């Protein structure tokens, strides 16, 4: 079995995987505020198998680009090499391994999504569909562990009973994974349903590997609360970080307006997809203001990063970055 190098999963603050949100700019934002590990959005193995690794000298990034197109499926950079976790959607050990081998020189760890209940995951036998296939779970994780020298982890949800959840978690532990993240909700639960921290605690008490607790961490005081309630080694934050990524700051949160502008600077720096950028900004606005506000309406009309820069008074920043790139070409 390959020796996993690198990450101590104890006492870490972790950015959760979030679709359309967890692209490079948001990961860099969270890391800048103090996140120890930053998970990318879930990307399906089939999509990555169509990609080539391209060094982007203009941006200073490493891009995994879909062959025959200009579509960047995954973008990373050397600055996040030691803390970026690639989260994969898969239902096949050999596809998973092929993708992990393509990525392994550019990422800190690989995580298998076993918790997403959304149709795009489940219909392919991925995400939470894996929770009912323990043999396949073991096969995927064991195949990765045997062949990779970076840490392998997975993220699960709670099953119908404590016993089922603990049995699956013990089975996962036997594959040699470095840690397991547990979202304290069951498959039918919705985000508005309260996370079951006691369900996470049951897993923690049954395992010896680090457990990462996830669910209902919205404000800085929730971080020590979930650790105390569950006994988990580390804490993963999703919506709390989306609404204000400075939740990771040891000194306390910043005003969301400041965080939003810093996110937009990162998006300009890394040429983030405008759709993903607007989606993320809209979520910040929904939490802190309203999409019907003048700001919300202005963002809705934006068709490019330049338009967004103009809404937020970042035209000079956008211009300087663009000029800098032009001058280096």
């Amino acid at each position: 079995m390959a020796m996993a190098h690198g990450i101590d999963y104890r006492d870490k603050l972790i950015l959760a995987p979030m679709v359309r949100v967890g692209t490079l700019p948001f990961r860099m934002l969270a890391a800048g505020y103090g996140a120890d590990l930053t998970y990318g959005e879930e990307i399906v193995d089939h999509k990555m198998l169509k990609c080539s690794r391209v060094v982007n000298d203009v941006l200073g990034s490493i891009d995994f680009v879909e062959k025959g197109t200009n579509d960047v499926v995954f973008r990373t950079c050397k600055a996040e090499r030691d803390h970026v976790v690639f989260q994969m959607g898969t239902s096949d050990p050999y596809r998973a391994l092929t993708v992990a081998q393509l990525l392994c020189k550019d990422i800190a760890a690989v995580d298998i999504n076993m918790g997403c209940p959304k149709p795009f995951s489940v219909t392919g036998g991925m995400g939470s569909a894996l929770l009912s296939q323990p043999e396949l779970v073991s096969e995927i994780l064991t195949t990765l562990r045997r062949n990779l020298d970076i840490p392998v982890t997975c993220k699960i949800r709670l099953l119908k009973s404590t016993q089922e959840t603990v049995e699956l978690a013990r089975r996962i532990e036997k594959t040699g994974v470095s840690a397991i993240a547990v979202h304290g909700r069951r498959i039918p639960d919705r985000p508005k349903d309260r996370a079951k921290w006691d369900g996470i605690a049951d897993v923690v008490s049954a395992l010896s590997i680090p457990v990462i607790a996830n669910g209902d961490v919205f404000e800085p005081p929730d971080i020590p609360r979930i650790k105390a309630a569950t006994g988990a080694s580390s804490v993963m934050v999703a919506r709390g970080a989306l609404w204000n990524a400075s939740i990771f700051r040891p000194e306390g949160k910043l005003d969301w307006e400041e965080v939003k502008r810093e996110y937009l600077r990162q998006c300009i720096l890394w040429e983030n997809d405008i759709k993903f950028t607007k989606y993320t900004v809209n979520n910040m606005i929904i939490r802190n203001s309203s999409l019907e506000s003048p700001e919300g309406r202005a963002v809705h009309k934006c068709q490019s990063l330049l338009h967004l820069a103009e809404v937020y008074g970042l035209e000079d920043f956008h211009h300087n970055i663009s000029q800098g790139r032009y001058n280096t070409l």
Side-chain angles (χ1 to χ4, degrees):
M1 194 171 272
M3 183 63 198
H5 300 293
I7 301 172
D8 179 355
Y9 281 89
R10 290 167 297 192
D11 295 315
K12 295 292 186 285
L13 283 179
I14 302 171
L15 175 69
M18 289 183 279
V19 173
R20 295 187 290 277
V21 175
T23 54
L24 178 57
F26 200 88
R27 298 194 304 268
M28 294 295 282
L29 180 76
Y33 287 134
D36 299 300
L37 295 171
T38 53
Y39 282 52
E41 61 169 345
E42 177 196 11
I43 299 178
V44 172
D45 55 6
H46 290 291
K47 190 88 169 162
M48 284 302 298
L49 289 173
K50 299 175 186 172
C51 291
S52 298
R53 181 184 185 275
V54 178
V55 176
N56 185 329
D57 291 320
V58 177
L59 296 186
S61 63
I62 298 149
D63 297 346
F64 291 84
V65 183
E66 189 172 346
K67 294 167 189 167
T69 75
N70 292 319
D71 294 344
V72 178
V73 176
F74 180 67
R75 171 168 284 161
T76 184
C77 67
K78 285 182 181 173
E80 69 165 4
R81 165 72 180 78
D82 292 334
H83 56 258
V84 62
V85 179
F86 182 85
Q87 201 198 47
M88 192 189 318
T90 189
S91 59
D92 181 89
Y94 303 105
R95 283 201 309 267
L97 180 60
T98 305
V99 170
Q101 287 172 330
L102 173 67
L103 288 154
C104 64
K105 297 287 186 285
D106 299 304
I107 59 175
V110 62
D111 182 85
I112 302 302
N113 182 324
M114 300 183 183
C116 181
K118 293 181 178 171
F120 83 89
S121 266
V122 177
T123 50
M126 300 175 290
S128 60
L130 287 171
L131 297 176
S132 58
Q133 300 181 76
E135 291 85 6
L136 181 56
V137 166
S138 291
E139 198 180 347
I140 291 169
L141 296 174
T142 302
T143 300
L144 294 177
R145 276 291 296 114
R146 281 184 178 153
N147 294 282
L148 299 175
D149 60 3
I150 58 172
V152 176
T153 60
C154 65
K155 183 167 185 273
I156 68 168
R157 281 183 172 240
L158 301 176
L159 295 172
K160 287 177 187 170
S161 72
T162 298
Q163 184 183 350
E164 287 177 89
T165 308
V166 166
E167 280 177 9
L168 179 66
R170 282 184 171 145
R171 186 172 191 132
I172 288 168
E173 182 176 44
K174 284 178 182 162
T175 67
V177 293
S178 299
I180 179 170
V182 182
H183 184 174
R185 289 184 173 87
R186 299 188 179 105
I187 294 170
D189 293 343
R190 298 277 68 90
K192 68 180 186 313
D193 297 321
R194 201 166 168 186
K196 300 167 180 69
W197 289 1
D198 56 341
I200 302 173
D202 291 332
V203 175
V204 172
S205 60
L207 302 189
S208 56
I209 60 168
V211 173
I212 302 163
N214 172 227
D216 289 358
V217 178
F218 300 135
E219 297 293 342
D222 295 332
I223 295 169
R225 278 182 59 237
I226 195 171
K227 279 194 87 171
T230 63
S233 302
S234 294
V235 177
M236 178 179 275
V237 189
R239 284 176 292 165
L242 168 58
W243 296 332
N244 188 326
S246 67
I247 191 171
F248 296 111
R249 278 182 91 238
E251 311 88 341
K253 277 201 330 188
L254 300 169
D255 184 77
W256 78 283
E257 298 276 6
E258 185 178 338
V259 173
K260 178 179 57 184
R261 288 167 61 84
E262 181 55 32
Y263 170 65
L264 287 167
R265 287 188 195 98
Q266 292 288 342
C267 288
I268 292 164
L269 274 172
W270 298 108
E271 290 190 358
N272 201 44
D273 183 289
I274 181 63
K275 296 188 298 295
F276 294 172
T277 305
K278 283 175 65 173
Y279 175 84
T280 304
V281 170
N282 279 338
N283 272 282
M284 295 179 191
I285 294 171
I286 289 166
R287 175 64 175 181
N288 297 285
S289 172
S290 163
L291 291 180
E292 296 305 314
S293 65
E295 176 190 7
R297 291 174 187 272
V299 169
H300 178 71
K301 291 176 184 171
C302 290
Q303 299 296 316
S304 68
L305 289 176
L306 175 57
H307 292 159
L308 271 176
E310 289 167 352
V311 168
Y312 290 102
L314 295 170
E315 308 97 313
D316 289 349
F317 181 81
H318 187 282
H319 175 77
N320 291 340
I321 295 296
S322 300
Q323 282 298 108
R325 283 179 193 143
Y326 180 78
N327 293 337
T328 60
L329 292 176

